[in-house]
Amino acid sequence: MRMRKLWTLIGMILLISCLTGCAWQEQLSAEESFNRALSGLSGIDNFSFQGEAAIRSEENGPFQQSMAFEGHLQHHKDLTLSSKGKAAKLLQEKGPADSIYKADGLKVTLKRKQGRWSTLSSQGADEMWMTRLNPLELLEYLGNSEKTVTQELGAARGTKVLRIELSTEAAAEMAYGSLDEQMKVLAERIERKGDPLYSDNPKVRKQLKTVWERDYKEMRNRLQKADALSVSHLTINKKNHLPAKLTMERKLSFIDSHGKTRTETLLSEVTFTGY
């Protein structure tokens, strides 16, 4: 009889603890839930994720680039990204699926140093694009930027979905930072012996640098007048309070050299596993 009462008491304590914890979790604001998910993720040493990304150059035009990829984090600071081909799911759901680009077999290794993710090997254009899809870096940027975080209705059972929209300035800085870094990497490759962009002929290197400077200046001028939008949706597992899925839509509208307004949209989706 005493044992039965003891187990009954233990059960009540556990139930009260669960209800209290769940109630506390529901009392968190959307931004507090977002910050807690990021904090929890930063404390995990090893996990994996699978993702897809696709780019279209017009509002409703066909996708011109797409990529499926996976990542593995080890020892908290070592990250490996590998491509797996076209982003079939995104192309199917967000079509039209007129992709003319395929990247498979690419691999990039990164290491977190002094608060930043740095590559440990030289990169071509494809590898640079995949590096910019690093969801850990994207989440860190969202966490440190001016934004509006709200909770979406209709989330699946056991999950919470947050909508994160960056301010216009933060969205523009995200687009500029990504493109600016890629352009600077190209400049380094022109001067790096052994790189496909390097030439032993000084005149050829000078010509390439001149083309780079022209394109870099043009990019900066366009971005100064561009409109940027960045909206993400983060699905959080209520049980462990960690991110389960991150989707992002980044849109950039600018005036081209012919005075025509052009829009480039990047869609990405990442699912986290292996916690």
Side-chain angles (χ1 to χ4, degrees):
M1 182 65 70
R2 291 182 177 179
M3 287 297 296
R4 183 180 298 175
K5 290 183 178 180
L6 178 60
W7 282 113
T8 301
L9 179 60
I10 292 175
M12 292 178 63
I13 293 174
L14 291 175
L15 177 60
I16 293 173
S17 298
C18 177
L19 292 175
T20 303
C22 294
W24 177 79
Q25 172 66 12
E26 290 303 321
Q27 290 175 358
L28 291 177
S29 68
E31 186 154 3
E32 288 171 339
S33 295
F34 174 74
N35 292 334
R36 184 180 183 189
L38 262 62
S39 177
L41 187 66
S42 66
I44 304 296
D45 290 333
N46 305 285
F47 61 87
S48 302
F49 54 83
Q50 294 80 42
E52 295 187 349
I55 295 176
R56 61 161 50 116
S57 59
E58 297 299 337
E59 191 73 28
N60 297 305
F63 287 104
Q64 295 184 319
Q65 293 184 342
S66 65
M67 181 184 292
F69 59 95
E70 61 184 12
H72 302 280
L73 179 73
Q74 293 183 309
H75 314 304
H76 194 70
K77 296 181 179 181
D78 301 314
L79 179 63
T80 302
L81 294 174
S82 304
S83 68
K84 300 169 59 180
K86 291 192 294 184
K89 182 180 178 182
L90 277 179
L91 293 178
Q92 184 177 13
E93 294 180 352
K94 304 289 187 178
D98 184 23
S99 177
I100 59 174
Y101 176 87
K102 181 177 181 179
D104 199 1
L106 304 176
K107 188 174 182 179
V108 176
T109 54
L110 303 98
K111 194 173 188 68
R112 186 166 173 77
K113 298 178 179 179
Q114 299 178 342
R116 296 189 61 186
W117 289 100
S118 303
T119 58
L120 301 180
S121 56
S122 60
Q123 300 183 67
D126 297 333
E127 288 87 354
M128 279 194 293
W129 183 36
M130 187 166 61
T131 299
R132 303 311 302 175
L133 298 175
N134 176 6
L136 306 184
E137 186 173 42
L138 295 176
L139 283 170
E140 290 170 5
Y141 186 88
L142 293 177
N144 295 326
S145 300
E146 182 181 356
K147 58 189 173 295
T148 301
V149 185
T150 55
Q151 183 171 340
E152 298 278 77
L153 299 176
R157 186 176 181 179
T159 68
K160 176 185 290 189
V161 178
L162 306 178
R163 182 182 186 276
I164 306 108
E165 181 171 354
L166 291 180
S167 67
T168 302
E169 294 76 15
E173 182 61 30
M174 172 184 276
Y176 174 80
S178 175
L179 294 173
D180 187 67
E181 184 172 340
Q182 291 182 47
M183 288 294 291
K184 289 180 178 178
V185 170
L186 286 176
E188 294 174 359
R189 291 180 59 194
I190 293 174
E191 301 294 340
R192 185 190 302 147
K193 288 186 177 181
D195 192 279
L197 292 182
Y198 178 82
S199 172
D200 291 329
N201 190 327
K203 291 184 178 180
V204 174
R205 292 203 307 274
K206 184 177 180 179
Q207 291 173 348
L208 287 174
K209 197 63 181 293
T210 299
V211 172
W212 179 89
E213 290 173 349
R214 181 200 64 195
D215 291 347
Y216 184 64
K217 182 178 180 180
E218 182 179 351
M219 182 199 75
R220 288 174 61 92
N221 290 336
R222 287 184 182 180
L223 288 178
Q224 287 178 353
K225 304 173 183 178
D227 294 323
L229 174 70
S230 175
V231 177
S232 303
H233 287 85
L234 181 66
T235 302
I236 298 173
N237 185 320
K238 285 187 175 181
K239 186 176 182 179
N240 57 22
H241 314 300
L242 293 172
K245 184 170 72 171
L246 174 67
T247 64
M248 178 178 287
E249 178 176 350
R250 288 182 283 174
K251 186 177 296 185
L252 189 66
S253 299
F254 56 92
I255 307 298
D256 65 13
S257 57
H258 302 289
K260 181 180 178 180
T261 300
R262 303 187 68 87
T263 300
E264 181 176 279
T265 302
L266 169 63
L267 302 173
S268 63
E269 178 177 303
V270 175
T271 301
F272 298 89
T273 58
Y275 293 131

